[in-house]
Amino acid sequence: MLRPICIALLSLLLEGCTKPSAHQPVTLTFIEEWSSRTFSEARQQELQQFTRETGIQVNLLPSPESARQKLVLWRELLETGASGPDVYGLDVIWPGMLADYFVDLKPYFGDEVSLQFPAIAAGYTVDNKLVAIAYRPDVGLLYYRSDLLRQYGYPGPPKTWDELGIMAARIQAGERAKGKKQFWGFVWQGAADEGLTCDALEWQAAEGGGRIIEDDHAISVNNPQTIRAWQRAAQWVGSISPPGVVGYREWDSLNVWTAGDAAFMRNWPSAYADSQAPGSAIRNNFQIAALPAGKAGRVGTLGGWGLAISRFSPHPGEALQLVRYLTSRELQVNRSRVLSQPPTMPKLYDLPEVLAANPRFGLLGQAFQSGLVTRPSNVAGKKYQEVTDAYIQAVHSVLTREKGAQEAAAALEDQLVRTTGFKKGPPLAQSARP
């Protein structure tokens, strides 16, 4: 499916490979993540303003929706050694796999990186090389219907995953009794894609089940805490979550949520803008919270995107200007007000103009400081795609009841040992919020 897209993009890039004359403006090519219409329009406005200020044109290239398809396309483009794209958006899990293709940004952004949340900056650093600079940080959150919680007598969102199951079941039963037969208690991302790695890692890490592969290279996934977390999630399917949730990606769960057909949703901060947009059935009737806790506390998976500069770019100076502009303090403050997009710098969360538009940012600031769980992408390095693929298939087989959790975890452990050459070991204690 990606071959025609890649060929078309390469054709566009090759057309612009000739060096511009002294009188022609430089045109950069920029490829980033697929996003909603709201975010795409705002990004185009930013790029137009950059052109007005610098005279540098920016050609924004299209990309597929799924993380897996994007990674395939990125690799196709980079492995050609073509002179474009100049600037790439990088998922926080890609630096370990793609580091060789990008300029080390540390000499140019050392001061900026020191102002970012340490965990976010670390995600884009491989062997002391700053592969990308954080542009849009993400963390897993719980969205909940504040109006329904009040109606059913709940003073606040669930504190634990078990409590979420109880509340979701009760609200679902009550709403269906009113005639809303398609109403569900909890929607999330259960498709066999990277979103499932994020969700399932939150379930198991909250219970003390570790990060799949630990920082000491121990393969820790086969443990009682992880097995219990997977079993609990499998029980949600068809009870408080739709049977089809095993095929849901972020936009599928968001569509159910904004239609008013769910009490709770797990998603990223970017879902807030769509939830509050005109036409949303739940506008002004929802709130966000940290994800529920397990026995080890509350954790949310770190996500997000950074900006990287191709080492094949014929315009590295202009590309640096674009990256510096898009990650600037001014634009981050503006995005927080207009798009409710969280900044990468802790100090921006204290600004009155940011907090006035986003009072919930206090919660996000705490989440980025502590209670994060990171996928083992830099530990696994170039093997990460094989690691996450194996993990996704194991978890998905439990959710679809093809395998029991204990069987799936044991088989996954053996597979990861063969893939990485690492040894088995126990989970390490992680920082989590109570």
Side-chain angles (χ1 to χ4, degrees):
M1 290 177 61
L2 290 178
R3 182 68 60 179
I5 298 175
C6 189
I7 292 172
L9 288 179
L10 285 174
S11 299
L12 288 171
L13 294 170
L14 289 172
E15 288 177 6
C17 280
T18 56
K19 187 175 181 180
S21 71
H23 302 290
Q24 289 179 316
V26 168
T27 297
L28 298 173
T29 51
F30 176 28
I31 189 166
E32 202 199 351
E33 85 275 23
W34 182 92
S35 61
S36 69
R37 180 178 177 181
T38 302
F39 280 80
S40 295
E41 290 175 350
R43 180 172 49 199
Q44 285 288 4
Q45 291 174 7
E46 292 177 354
L47 296 179
Q48 290 166 8
Q49 180 62 29
F50 173 75
T51 298
R52 286 193 291 269
E53 292 181 11
T54 66
I56 301 169
Q57 304 285 335
V58 182
N59 183 17
L60 185 64
L61 302 179
S63 70
E65 178 180 351
S66 81
R68 185 184 305 274
Q69 290 177 330
K70 280 195 284 281
L71 180 59
V72 171
L73 177 57
W74 268 229
R75 278 178 163 155
E76 291 262 8
L77 294 169
L78 290 164
E79 287 171 1
T80 66
S83 59
D86 302 277
V87 177
Y88 283 77
L90 286 197
D91 192 305
V92 70
I93 58 172
W94 293 353
M97 293 184 280
L98 302 177
D100 295 343
Y101 297 107
F102 296 107
V103 173
D104 182 4
L105 297 180
K106 184 172 289 186
Y108 309 101
F109 289 94
D111 292 340
E112 288 87 344
V113 169
S114 67
L115 299 175
Q116 294 184 338
F117 289 104
I120 293 175
Y124 297 100
T125 304
V126 178
D127 296 331
N128 206 35
K129 174 181 179 178
L130 184 63
V131 181
I133 184 163
Y135 166 53
R136 179 175 63 79
D138 265 341
V139 63
L141 296 171
L142 182 70
Y143 287 72
Y144 65 94
R145 287 283 299 275
S146 51
D147 58 334
L148 292 181
L149 264 62
R150 286 193 299 270
Q151 289 179 32
Y152 288 87
Y154 294 116
K159 295 179 180 179
T160 67
W161 284 109
D162 290 336
E163 188 177 327
L164 179 141
I166 294 169
M167 292 171 65
R170 180 166 175 250
I171 295 172
Q172 177 179 300
E175 292 302 290
R176 290 189 176 188
K178 299 175 184 176
K180 299 179 182 178
K181 300 303 182 184
Q182 297 302 312
F183 189 92
W184 292 95
F186 182 37
V187 290
W188 38 282
Q189 297 79 51
D193 204 350
E194 188 66 27
L196 180 56
T197 295
C198 299
D199 289 34
L201 188 56
E202 290 161 350
W203 307 333
Q204 70 182 56
E207 299 297 341
R211 294 177 53 223
I212 310 169
I213 302 175
E214 306 299 324
D215 285 337
D216 63 359
H217 290 191
I219 295 171
S220 62
V221 71
N222 185 17
N223 62 74
Q225 297 90 338
T226 291
I227 290 168
R228 283 197 298 271
W230 291 2
Q231 288 171 334
R232 178 176 56 209
Q235 292 171 356
W236 295 336
V237 180
S239 58
I240 62 171
S241 301
V245 76
V246 294
Y248 279 20
R249 292 180 170 86
E250 280 85 350
W251 297 109
D252 301 302
S253 53
L254 181 60
N255 287 339
V256 174
W257 167 253
T258 56
D261 291 331
F264 299 100
M265 174 183 69
R266 184 271 178 207
N267 218 307
W268 305 101
S270 56
Y272 193 95
D274 291 285
S275 301
Q276 190 62 5
S280 169
I282 57 167
R283 190 179 187 187
N284 298 322
N285 284 318
F286 72 94
Q287 291 292 339
I288 62 170
L291 288 166
K295 293 181 179 178
R298 299 175 183 263
V299 296
T301 298
L302 176 65
W305 285 73
L307 298 179
I309 297 174
S310 169
R311 63 183 181 89
F312 308 115
S313 169
H315 309 297
E318 290 84 356
L320 279 167
Q321 289 185 62
L322 177 60
V323 171
R324 192 175 300 280
Y325 174 79
L326 291 174
T327 59
S328 66
R329 178 187 185 278
E330 179 183 355
L331 258 68
Q332 291 199 45
V333 170
N334 187 60
R335 285 191 208 109
S336 72
R337 291 188 293 104
V338 176
L339 298 172
S340 296
Q341 183 172 307
T344 65
M345 305 173 187
K347 288 187 177 180
L348 300 188
Y349 288 74
D350 298 327
L351 296 179
E353 61 265 42
V354 171
L355 287 176
N358 302 281
R360 66 194 178 284
F361 269 21
L363 167 70
L364 289 178
Q366 292 176 10
F368 289 127
Q369 291 280 18
S370 63
L372 285 174
V373 60
T374 57
R375 286 163 282 178
S377 52
N378 285 353
V379 175
K382 289 181 171 59
K383 296 283 188 180
Y384 178 71
Q385 193 62 49
E386 296 174 67
V387 168
T388 189
D389 284 348
Y391 181 76
I392 289 165
Q393 293 304 319
V395 177
H396 201 257
S397 72
V398 175
L399 298 177
T400 57
R401 296 179 173 83
E402 296 172 29
K403 291 183 180 179
Q406 190 168 356
E407 174 193 1
L412 174 61
E413 179 184 54
D414 291 338
Q415 184 175 354
L416 294 183
V417 168
R418 293 191 300 269
T419 298
T420 64
F422 299 158
K423 295 182 179 180
K424 304 175 185 179
L428 297 176
Q430 301 293 321
S431 172
R433 283 180 290 161

